[in-house]
Amino acid sequence: MTEETLDVIWQVVADSGLIHAAQLAALRAEFQSELDSASAVETSIWEWLGDRGGLSNYQTRILAAGRPGPFKFGEYIVYDKITNGPLAGSFRARHQGTQHPVRLEFFAGHDAGDLGAWQGIRLRARRATAVNRPLLVCCCDVVSWDEYRFLVFDDPAGKTLFEKLPSRGRLPWLQACQAAEQMALAVQSIHEAGMYHGQFWTGSVWIRPGGMANVLWSFLPFDPSHAQANQDQDVERFEQYQSPLLKNAGESCSQRTDLYSFGAVFYRILSGKPPAIDSTELEDRRTQVKAIVDRCQKYDLPESLMQLLPLLLTSDVSSDLKGIDVVAKSLSSILGSQSLAKDIDAPPPTLAALQAAIARERKWEFNGPSDAPGDRDPIPSPRPGASDAVDFDFSAIEGAELTQVAARSAVIGRRARPPTGVPKMLALGAA
């Protein structure tokens, strides 16, 4: 490696702003010293910088391509790009002031300049901060920095249910009900604020280390007609969990379509596959649902659970089920002392610090009343995914194939072209 080449490399690192000038000068001197010593450096300079300079693999890969980033976006420093699963296309970052891990979703092109759409997103995000969120993983900031605009999400350890459940894998009914109760309480907090989720599926259920089931909640619309085609019929798709009503012109998401989607996810973890339902007329739906639910009898489900499933899977076309709060109470009754609803993990102190910093900057109030104007219903969106933690006792999965869905090559749930007036996502850092 020539001195000229090294000069170019060190300049690219300096231009990235990832390492302070004094630390970079010390690292350069240390690297040169090792080059000059008898025991020359055996790794590449990028591996060396990753080890000694604290750079991530993603950062060194971008730098090695001769690009100094960008990595710094206001108070956030990007350290990874998610390339697979429902969260593909978003970026992992840390908030500089608190070091809290977050996930960034960028807007792209001329849509990022649509001030009207951006203002609407900001108002809805501000209103959503008032939602009680112990069981939600959701947007906590909207940022306009330089020419970039992006949403900021909490990024706790864990993975989506989509990634954790093997194809055709199912949970024993007790564990399925424990997860469903937590999911129901999360959705209930959204509904009590007069909003809806709108994009509920296995890709929006987040399983934390230790097994706590949270719900991912976004604000951007997802267009399933643009989702990447998947030829493997064993891999579930987002649209399999959406109410058949939404295929009709003029129909839109609501709290009742949330109830149906919740029921579809619950049925999936009980039976091993999503329900195949297409009818929109109540009597036809009841007939279809009865045949589907009857198949669950072989799993020896409690009678109260066998009665709840049909109510959930007809909830978008019937008013028999009053709301998600009724579902949460029913699941609590079924579980009795086995309920985990009170075993909610305390948020890390860095999250509280991040929310406090955002509240000061934005004049927002987290977990409290909001006076933000705007629609009662925010623009939602599915998405999920994150680190390498395992749990729920997924060793108890029944009927599971050995190949994990997460290991398959298909990428489900990518952002696609949104409806008019809603910004597109930015394909930033393509490496």
Side-chain angles (χ1 to χ4, degrees):
M1 184 178 296
T2 66
E3 186 173 336
E4 290 78 9
T5 301
L6 281 173
D7 286 342
V8 170
I9 289 173
W10 291 114
Q11 188 58 53
V12 170
V13 177
D15 291 343
S16 73
L18 291 172
I19 302 176
H20 293 301
Q23 182 189 3
L24 186 60
L27 286 170
R28 185 168 185 174
E30 183 182 354
F31 184 80
Q32 190 61 49
S33 175
E34 291 188 22
L35 279 181
D36 295 339
S37 69
S39 55
V41 179
E42 295 181 359
T43 60
S44 76
I45 186 172
W46 300 114
E47 291 175 303
W48 190 91
L49 277 169
D51 181 47
R52 306 290 181 85
L55 301 182
S56 70
N57 290 337
Y58 172 77
Q59 290 167 341
T60 56
R61 190 165 68 249
I62 297 297
L63 293 170
R67 304 203 304 275
F71 300 106
K72 300 181 73 173
F73 299 90
E75 288 296 308
Y76 302 96
I77 299 181
V78 168
Y79 67 86
D80 197 13
K81 180 179 181 178
I82 301 173
T83 56
N84 292 299
L87 293 174
S90 59
F91 294 80
R92 291 203 166 93
R94 289 193 183 276
H95 180 258
Q96 291 186 80
T98 63
Q99 290 303 296
H100 187 73
V102 294
R103 186 171 54 82
L104 310 183
E105 295 190 354
F106 286 81
F107 296 104
H110 69 276
D111 289 324
D114 187 333
L115 297 180
W118 182 247
Q119 183 65 9
I121 292 284
R122 286 177 57 84
L123 290 172
R124 292 179 175 109
R126 177 185 173 189
R127 183 166 174 266
T129 59
V131 175
N132 188 29
R133 52 179 62 204
L135 288 167
L136 288 172
V137 178
C138 48
C139 177
C140 57
D141 197 8
V142 290
V143 179
S144 178
W145 183 83
D146 204 357
E147 73 267 34
Y148 299 99
R149 287 180 176 173
F150 54 92
L151 301 184
V152 181
F153 294 81
D154 185 24
D155 189 27
K159 286 190 175 181
T160 64
L161 185 63
F162 171 85
E163 295 168 290
K164 299 230 356 154
L165 264 183
S167 178
R168 299 187 186 278
R170 56 177 296 274
L171 289 175
W173 73 263
L174 179 62
Q175 282 192 308
C177 286
Q178 288 171 331
E181 183 187 23
Q182 295 159 8
M183 288 153 35
L185 290 170
V187 175
Q188 181 179 336
S189 66
I190 298 172
H191 286 192
E192 285 177 344
M195 307 185 217
Y196 57 78
H197 187 285
Q199 306 289 349
F200 196 83
W201 70 305
T202 53
S204 55
V205 178
W206 189 261
I207 307 299
R208 290 179 181 257
M212 182 64 65
N214 289 182
V215 170
L216 288 150
W217 184 34
S218 183
F219 300 94
L220 301 178
F222 178 86
D223 185 350
S225 67
H226 291 271
Q228 179 170 323
N230 189 341
Q231 301 304 315
D232 188 344
Q233 295 305 306
D234 286 337
V235 179
E236 61 209 57
R237 299 178 304 279
F238 161 75
E239 57 266 30
Q240 291 175 291
Y241 295 93
Q242 301 307 291
S243 165
L245 287 178
L246 296 176
K247 296 178 182 178
N248 296 337
E251 292 287 349
S252 59
C253 296
S254 67
Q255 292 187 0
R256 301 215 66 80
T257 60
D258 275 357
L259 275 172
Y260 173 87
S261 296
F262 176 92
V265 170
F266 191 24
Y267 179 87
R268 161 67 179 89
I269 58 180
L270 283 166
S271 69
K273 58 183 180 180
I277 294 175
D278 56 18
S279 60
T280 56
E281 298 298 328
L282 180 56
E283 290 309 313
D284 289 344
R285 173 73 68 82
R286 283 176 172 159
T287 301
Q288 209 171 20
V289 166
K290 183 180 185 306
I292 288 171
V293 172
D294 282 349
R295 297 172 196 157
C296 290
Q297 289 180 346
K298 60 184 177 182
Y299 300 124
D300 296 322
L301 304 184
E303 182 59 30
S304 52
L305 196 51
M306 293 292 290
Q307 293 172 0
L308 178 60
L309 283 173
L311 291 174
L312 283 166
L313 294 174
T314 57
S315 58
D316 55 331
V317 292
S318 166
S319 59
D320 292 342
L321 188 61
K322 299 305 180 185
I324 194 69
D325 57 326
V326 176
V327 178
K329 290 174 183 175
S330 298
L331 289 168
S332 177
S333 177
I334 292 170
L335 287 167
S337 62
Q338 299 294 318
S339 169
L340 300 179
K342 294 182 180 179
D343 300 335
I344 298 174
D345 298 331
T350 52
L351 176 58
L354 172 63
Q355 290 181 342
I358 294 169
R360 287 192 301 270
E361 177 70 21
R362 308 278 179 235
K363 305 281 191 297
W364 288 353
E365 183 175 353
F366 284 85
N367 302 310
S370 171
D371 61 352
D375 296 337
R376 290 290 292 171
D377 295 313
I379 300 176
S381 170
R383 286 241 203 162
S387 82
D388 266 339
V390 178
D391 274 359
F392 217 147
D393 180 15
F394 274 77
S395 61
I397 291 173
E398 300 176 0
E401 296 177 358
L402 295 178
T403 305
Q404 292 282 344
V405 173
R408 296 178 186 271
S409 59
V411 176
I412 310 296
R414 284 188 180 276
R415 292 274 184 221
R417 190 172 59 127
T420 303
V422 180
K424 294 182 293 188
M425 302 309 299
L426 171 66
L428 181 74

